[in-house]
Amino acid sequence: MYMKFYRSGLFFLTALLLILLQNTALAQRAAVNWTKDGYQYYRITGGQIIMIDARDTSKKTVFITKEELTPAGKPPISVKRFTVSDDNKKVLINTNTQKVWRYDTRGDYWVYDSNTKKLWQLGKNLPASSLMFAKFSPDGSKAAYVSGHNIYMEDLADGSVKQLTTDGTQTLINGTFDWAYEEEFGCRDGFRWSPDSKSIAYWQLDASKIKTYLMLNTTDSVYPYVVPVEYPVAGEDPSSCKVGVVNTATGTTTWINVPGDAVQHYIPNMEWADNSNEVILEQLNRAQNESRVFIGNVSNGTTRVIREEHNDSWIDVKARVAGGDPVGWGWIEKGKSFLWLSEKDGWRHLYKITREGKESLITKGNYDVIGIDMIDEALGYVYFIASPDNATQKYLYKIKLSGGTAERVSPADEPGTHSYDISPNGKVALHNFSNSYTRPQSEVISLPAHKHIGGTVISVDKNAKNKPEFFKVTTVDGIEMDGWMVKPTNFDPNKKYPVLFTVYGEPAGQTVTDTWGTGRNRLYEGSMADDGYIYMSVEGRGAPAPKGTAWRKAIYKNIGIINIRDQAMAAKEIIKWPFVDSARIAVHGWSGGGSSTLNLMFQYGDIYKTGIAVAAVGNQLTYDNIYQERYMGVPTDDAGRAVFIKGSPVTYAKNLKGNLLYIHGTGDDNVHYKNAELLIDELVKYNRQFQLMSYPNRTHSISEGEGTTQHLRTLFTQYLKAKCPPGGR
C-alpha cells in the first residue's frame, strides 16, 4: 500500500534505506544485463557501455563508446537504462526519462546498431519523452513502444512506424496501467511480444469512470491550479480491464474472452504461454481472495481455466512475491508446466502446475519461499530465497524440480541478508550481502558451489561497535515478536533511558530485518546512541515475515487493531526492563507507520507519551481500493465500512493525551493531504493540542524542494528532544 512501503509506500527516509537494501535483488536485477551465454554482463560506465566477464571482473571490454552514443550535432546520450538484442548486435537505449507517478517510465529511446555503426531515435515524430517500455521483437527486426496510451511498432530496417492501437485516450489506456495498478500490483509495462514476433498481447484499462482526486498546487504559479489524479478509493469501482492480442501485420486486435465482470475483477499477470498461439493470465476477483488462471487462444479469444484458488483472507499474486515485478511466468518442460507460489497449505510453497492444471508440491515443510531467483532446468533445480530458522534474514536455497529436501546455498558463516542475480546459464551469480552490522558487499560466485570468483571477498564485520541487538518479546496474548534495539553509546544498566520505537505495522513491509541500515534513523540529526536514546523496533502479526500464512494474514480486516495491539503489548513488556524509562516512550513512523503511530498514540496513550507521524492515512476509506480492499474487504455496506472505520486513527483521535507532531506533504498523490485535514478536524473538535507541519506541494516522500530534507530532520530531532528528552537518569 501506500502503505506499501510508501505505504509501498516507504516510511520514507528511515524506511527508504531499509527498503532499498531489502530489495537489493530487485535493484540488482534491474541494473544487470547478462549476455546470452550468461558469463558476461553489461554495465554503464563513464558514459559508455562496457562488457564485464563475470568469471574475471578485471576483464572489461568496451561494447559501445561514448562517441558511438553521440548523435550528430548533439551531446552524448545520457543512458538511463538499456537492453541488448538477442543477437548482440543492437542496443536499445532509454534517456531523458520522466516520472509517471512514482517511476521514470517515460522518455526517449535510441537504437544503436553495432554492425552499421548507426544511431537513431525511435518515434522521433512523437512528442519528446513520451515513449514507454520500448523493446525489441524477439527476432530483432522491430521495436514496439507505448506513446499517448497507444502501442506503436517501428521497423528497424527502414524506420517505418505503424500505430497498432488507435483508441487510446487519457482514460482508455493501452499497453500500460492506471495509478492503482502500478502502485499496488507493480504493473507498469503493459504489453508483450509474441515469441514469433508477429503479435503483441497487451492490457487495456478503461479508467473513464474513475473519480478524480483534485490536488491543489499553490506554489508553482501566482494563481493556484488543480492537479487531477485518477484515484479509486476503497469502495469505489476500479478500472475495467481486458487483454487483447494485436496482429502486427493487419493491426487487428482479438480480445481474450475472460469470464467475469471486467470491472469487478483484476488481471495482474499475463504472458505468452510459451508459444505464439496462446496467452496465460491470472484473474483476481475484486476482493482478491479468489484466483483463476486461464489459457487463452489468440486466434478466436476463447479461454479455459486451468487453476482456481480460494482464500479466507487474500491471495498474494505472483508479482507480490517475486520482487514486485510481474514480468515472466516460469515455464519448464518445454512449455508443458510452470512454477507457481501459493499459500494454500498455510505456508508459501512452490508448486509445479501443468497446462492441464495438475499440481505437485515441490517445497515441503514449515517454511516460506520468499521468492524465486532462478530455474536451472538443465541441472533440474530451482533456486529460491528463504529463511526457515530466522524470519529477519534471507538465504539462497535450491531444491530439485521434482521435489525433495531444500539445500541451503548461502554460506553458513555469513548470517544476515543475501540476494542474488543469477546468470541465464545458472553457473555464475552476482551475490549481495549485508547484515545489521556489516556494510553491503558484492561478489561474483559460481553455482551451485557458491565459490568466490570475483569482486569483493565477503567479510562479516566481527569488530563492529554499537551494533543492533536482536531479541524476542512475548506479549500477554502469547504472541512472540522479533525486535532489535540500539542502546546508548555509554550505556549504564543502572540508569533508565528513553525509548524511540520505529513502526510500520502493515502487510507491505518489514522493519525488523538483519540488514544494513537497521538501527539507523535517517530522520535524526546526529547520533541517537551518543545522545542517550534507545532506538528500537518490534514487529507483530501482519508483517510480511516468513513466519507462515497465519502470522501474515492475522491482520485481515484488522489493520489498526491487531497490529496496533501487538505493538502496544510488546512495548508494555519492554517498559518492564530495568533500564527503560516508562515516562519517556516515543514512537514514529511514515505512511503506514504514520497511521500506526497515530493509532498507538490514540489507543494506548498510557504507554506512548510522544509520537511523530508522517504522511499517515487518517481514514482507511480514503486510501486506494486495490490495497485497502485486499486487506480489509470490499466496503459495499455499513458492515463492510465498519471495519475500515474501526481501524482508522480518526476514530480514536479524541483520546490523544501525549505529545503529537503530525507531518504531511500537501502534494502527496499517494496518501492525500485530505487525511491530515480529516485528522485535524477531529483533534480540533475535541480540543486535543498537537503540532502540525505541512510541507507545501511535497509528495509522499517529502523530498522535493531546496532544504526540505534538512528541515525535516531538524524538525524531527528538535521535537523529539523537547518532548522526550535524551539521556540516562
Side-chain angles (χ1 to χ4, degrees):
M1 157 181 188
Y2 31 92
M3 296 196 123
K4 266 183 323 255
F5 256 16
Y6 276 141
R7 257 184 154 182
S8 100
L10 284 91
F11 357 172
F12 254 81
L13 304 176
T14 303
L16 177 59
L17 178 62
L18 294 176
I19 294 162
L20 291 175
L21 291 168
Q22 290 164 5
N23 292 309
T24 302
L26 178 60
Q28 182 77 358
R29 190 168 291 113
V32 175
N33 284 294
W34 290 98
T35 58
K36 195 171 183 180
D37 66 7
Y39 285 116
Q40 300 176 91
Y41 57 93
Y42 304 98
R43 280 279 167 85
I44 305 167
T45 302
Q48 57 189 9
I49 299 175
I50 63 172
M51 192 161 53
I52 303 171
D53 193 317
R55 297 160 295 186
D56 182 356
T57 53
S58 66
K59 294 181 178 179
K60 300 176 182 179
T61 305
V62 176
F63 182 58
I64 304 179
T65 67
K66 189 173 183 177
E67 289 70 29
E68 291 171 324
L69 291 174
T70 303
K74 296 182 178 181
I77 294 173
S78 176
V79 182
K80 178 68 177 184
R81 57 182 68 88
F82 66 95
T83 55
V84 181
S85 61
D86 286 345
D87 62 5
N88 206 44
K89 301 300 182 183
K90 297 184 183 72
V91 181
L92 185 60
I93 302 154
N94 189 200
T95 186
N96 296 333
T97 58
Q98 296 182 7
K99 281 188 177 181
V100 176
W101 310 125
R102 208 162 318 286
Y103 303 92
D104 58 343
T105 51
R106 194 174 70 229
D108 295 326
Y109 283 88
W110 294 72
V111 174
Y112 178 77
D113 189 321
S114 61
N115 277 341
T116 63
K117 306 299 181 183
K118 181 182 176 183
L119 176 70
W120 71 97
Q121 185 178 0
L122 295 177
K124 58 185 178 182
N125 294 324
L126 292 168
S129 293
S130 72
L131 273 59
M132 304 175 71
F133 316 116
K135 43 184 159 313
F136 291 128
S137 59
D139 65 8
S141 66
K142 304 175 185 68
Y145 44 82
V146 173
S147 179
H149 290 167
N150 278 310
I151 301 172
Y152 295 78
M153 179 183 69
E154 188 162 336
D155 190 291
L156 299 180
D158 60 20
S160 60
V161 176
K162 184 173 186 177
Q163 187 171 343
L164 298 177
T165 66
T166 58
D167 54 356
T169 66
Q170 183 68 28
T171 57
L172 190 66
I173 304 166
N174 295 301
T176 184
F177 297 90
D178 64 3
W179 187 94
Y181 259 80
E182 175 178 305
E183 179 73 5
E184 306 305 351
F185 288 136
C187 293
R188 292 179 286 278
D189 178 353
F191 73 91
R192 310 282 188 264
W193 275 105
S194 63
D196 65 5
S197 302
K198 295 180 179 179
S199 301
I200 291 175
Y202 66 98
W203 278 264
Q204 184 185 82
L205 270 66
D206 184 351
S208 60
K209 295 183 179 180
I210 300 299
K211 293 179 181 178
T212 302
Y213 184 90
L214 302 178
M215 300 194 304
L216 192 62
N217 186 319
T218 61
T219 63
D220 291 346
S221 65
V222 174
Y223 287 93
Y225 60 90
V226 170
V227 180
V229 179
E230 293 164 6
Y231 193 100
V233 299
E236 294 284 337
D237 284 346
S239 301
S240 70
C241 177
K242 58 182 180 179
V243 168
V245 178
V246 59
N247 183 300
T248 59
T250 66
T252 302
T253 290
T254 300
W255 296 105
I256 304 301
N257 183 21
V258 182
D261 189 314
V263 174
Q264 300 304 321
H265 291 83
Y266 300 107
I267 302 176
N269 292 296
M270 183 273 292
E271 297 288 344
W272 288 90
D274 208 43
N275 61 56
S276 297
N277 303 314
E278 298 172 313
V279 294
I280 188 167
L281 60 87
E282 180 183 17
Q283 179 199 60
L284 288 180
N285 65 331
R286 170 80 175 271
Q288 300 176 65
N289 58 9
E290 297 177 359
S291 165
R292 294 194 291 175
V293 177
F294 292 90
I295 290 181
N297 186 305
V298 302
S299 61
N300 56 26
T302 58
T303 57
R304 59 186 177 91
V305 62
I306 65 168
R307 185 181 189 275
E308 295 186 71
E309 182 177 338
H310 304 266
N311 196 287
D312 292 335
S313 53
W314 73 86
I315 292 174
D316 275 317
V317 298
K318 182 182 176 188
R320 300 190 66 80
V321 293
D325 187 353
V327 175
W329 201 268
W331 289 100
I332 58 174
E333 299 173 347
K334 297 182 179 179
K336 294 180 181 178
S337 305
F338 58 89
L339 300 188
W340 194 259
L341 287 169
S342 170
E343 296 184 60
K344 65 181 183 178
D345 71 350
W347 296 90
R348 185 182 294 138
H349 277 314
L350 185 60
Y351 293 80
K352 182 178 80 169
I353 302 175
T354 69
R355 295 175 70 92
E356 289 70 42
K358 181 181 179 181
E359 298 189 11
S360 54
L361 178 63
I362 296 176
T363 56
K364 298 178 181 179
N366 295 340
Y367 68 92
D368 287 309
V369 173
I370 297 172
I372 302 171
D373 266 43
M374 195 262 182
I375 302 168
D376 187 351
E377 194 171 7
L379 294 181
Y381 283 98
V382 56
Y383 290 94
F384 63 92
I385 298 294
S387 188
D389 303 317
N390 188 327
T392 73
Q393 300 173 338
K394 294 181 180 180
Y395 301 99
L396 185 67
Y397 282 77
K398 68 172 183 176
I399 194 169
K400 291 182 178 179
L401 286 167
S402 58
T405 302
E407 304 174 50
R408 177 165 153 173
V409 180
S410 298
D413 60 352
E414 295 175 6
T417 299
H418 298 254
S419 66
Y420 298 80
D421 193 301
I422 303 176
S423 75
N425 63 21
K427 298 183 185 301
V428 296
L430 303 185
H431 169 219
N432 303 282
F433 166 78
S434 79
N435 61 28
S436 60
Y437 54 91
T438 303
R439 291 179 178 273
Q441 301 172 51
S442 299
E443 66 174 341
V444 183
I445 61 162
S446 63
L447 288 174
H450 205 290
K451 289 186 177 180
H452 175 89
I453 57 176
T456 303
V457 175
I458 301 296
S459 176
V460 176
D461 187 359
K462 297 180 180 179
N463 299 316
K465 297 178 180 179
N466 243 25
K467 60 185 182 182
E469 298 178 25
F470 284 82
F471 62 87
K472 294 182 183 293
V473 59
T474 302
T475 72
V476 68
D477 301 320
I479 306 301
E480 183 185 76
M481 298 167 59
D482 288 310
W484 56 257
M485 66 175 162
V486 178
K487 291 178 180 175
T489 304
N490 298 310
F491 177 72
D492 183 345
N494 297 312
K495 291 184 178 181
K496 290 183 178 291
Y497 295 90
V499 173
L500 174 63
F501 287 92
T502 183
V503 62
Y504 183 66
E506 299 208 10
Q510 293 178 251
T511 61
V512 181
T513 58
D514 190 5
T515 188
W516 182 255
T518 291
R520 293 161 179 81
N521 189 334
R522 297 299 188 252
L523 286 175
Y524 190 84
E525 189 84 343
S527 168
M528 292 187 67
D530 288 349
D531 288 346
Y533 285 105
I534 297 173
Y535 190 38
M536 183 182 298
S537 187
V538 289
E539 198 157 65
R541 290 170 292 175
K547 293 185 174 184
T549 303
W551 173 272
R552 290 187 291 275
K553 297 187 176 179
I555 202 171
Y556 186 60
K557 294 189 177 182
N558 275 297
I559 289 179
I561 305 299
I562 274 184
N563 56 324
I564 301 307
R565 179 171 176 82
D566 279 358
Q567 286 287 327
M569 293 304 98
K572 200 168 186 178
E573 296 301 317
I574 288 167
I575 61 178
K576 296 176 184 178
W577 296 352
F579 52 84
V580 170
D581 187 347
S582 62
R584 290 183 290 166
I585 302 297
V587 59
H588 83 98
W590 199 302
S591 194
S595 303
S596 294
T597 296
L598 293 175
N599 267 322
L600 290 168
M601 290 293 294
F602 300 159
Q603 295 184 43
Y604 295 95
D606 56 327
I607 297 174
Y608 302 93
K609 312 303 182 185
T610 299
I612 304 176
V614 187
V617 170
N619 184 336
Q620 293 181 24
L621 289 169
T622 70
Y623 199 67
D624 81 68
N625 52 8
I626 296 181
Y627 181 95
Q628 210 67 47
E629 292 176 2
R630 177 188 300 141
Y631 305 122
M632 297 296 285
V634 181
T636 55
D637 53 24
D638 289 344
R641 286 186 286 272
V643 297
F644 287 72
I645 295 168
K646 184 179 179 182
S648 293
V650 292
T651 302
Y652 308 97
K654 60 181 176 290
N655 299 327
L656 175 63
K657 294 188 292 186
N659 312 301
L660 174 63
L661 170 60
Y662 186 78
I663 303 168
H664 211 125
T666 67
D668 192 334
D669 71 340
N670 188 345
V671 180
H672 299 126
Y673 189 69
K674 175 180 180 178
N675 284 273
E677 296 188 329
L678 290 172
L679 184 70
I680 292 167
D681 266 351
E682 283 298 296
L683 292 169
V684 169
K685 178 180 178 181
Y686 293 100
N687 193 25
R688 296 298 182 255
Q689 298 300 310
F690 66 102
Q691 185 168 326
L692 171 70
M693 180 61 210
S694 299
Y695 282 94
N697 207 32
R698 270 62 167 193
T699 66
H700 197 61
S701 66
I702 311 183
S703 58
E704 303 83 3
E706 186 176 355
T708 300
T709 298
Q710 184 59 48
H711 187 278
L712 178 58
R713 296 187 71 199
T714 302
L715 173 68
F716 181 95
T717 306
Q718 289 182 352
Y719 189 85
L720 181 65
K721 286 182 175 180
K723 303 299 184 181
C724 182
R729 295 177 180 173

